[in-house]
Amino acid sequence: QVQLVESGGGAVQAGGSLRLSCAISRSIYGTYIGWFRQAPGKEREGVACIKPRGNTGYSDSAEGRFTISQDKSKNQLYLQMNSLNVEDSAMYYCATGGTACLNGATYRHWGQGTQVTVSS
């Protein structure tokens, strides 16, 4: 079983930045690893992913503002979020074992989430 633990969420004003981290107990090679979010009353949406070959993918709302990265030596996944706005407020989850970048249904292992709240 793979354990994932997110951290780094919090409250920030619009225009601010946050860096989320995800500690992963072990890597699953050859699969996608990503960040997702879900706001109250909304469906879960993919934010960013790292593909098996190392290239990245972003949602339209994340492109240009968020950066996904990983430190394989530490089994850590990160999401640097800049220029945050109120619409970015959500619970953010990291996930591994995916077969399609921003499709959460394909991911097998999930963390418990970390809350991000952006105020105007």
Side-chain angles (χ1 to χ4, degrees):
Q1 185 70 352
V2 179
Q3 279 81 44
L4 301 93
V5 180
E6 302 93 338
S7 61
V12 64
Q13 288 193 327
S17 298
L18 281 175
R19 187 193 195 207
L20 305 184
S21 299
C22 175
I24 305 169
S25 61
R26 65 176 180 88
S27 298
I28 304 175
Y29 296 101
T31 64
Y32 293 73
I33 183 169
W35 286 97
F36 295 80
R37 68 186 184 186
Q38 187 167 21
K42 294 187 177 181
E43 293 187 357
R44 182 181 61 198
E45 63 172 328
V47 176
C49 82
I50 297 178
K51 303 176 183 180
R53 293 187 177 184
N55 49 332
T56 56
Y58 295 92
S59 66
D60 288 345
S61 63
E63 185 77 54
R65 299 188 300 129
F66 295 1
T67 302
I68 188 171
S69 62
Q70 65 178 351
D71 185 335
K72 291 183 178 180
S73 67
K74 297 180 179 178
N75 273 350
Q76 291 274 348
L77 180 70
Y78 304 105
L79 184 68
Q80 177 67 43
M81 304 187 295
N82 299 327
S83 302
L84 286 163
N85 56 57
V86 174
E87 289 72 33
D88 295 316
S89 296
M91 186 72 78
Y92 283 72
Y93 301 89
C94 59
T96 67
T99 59
C101 184
L102 299 179
N103 184 346
T106 71
Y107 285 71
R108 290 185 288 164
H109 306 285
W110 293 80
Q112 293 299 308
T114 185
Q115 179 67 42
V116 172
T117 303
V118 184
S119 59
S120 59

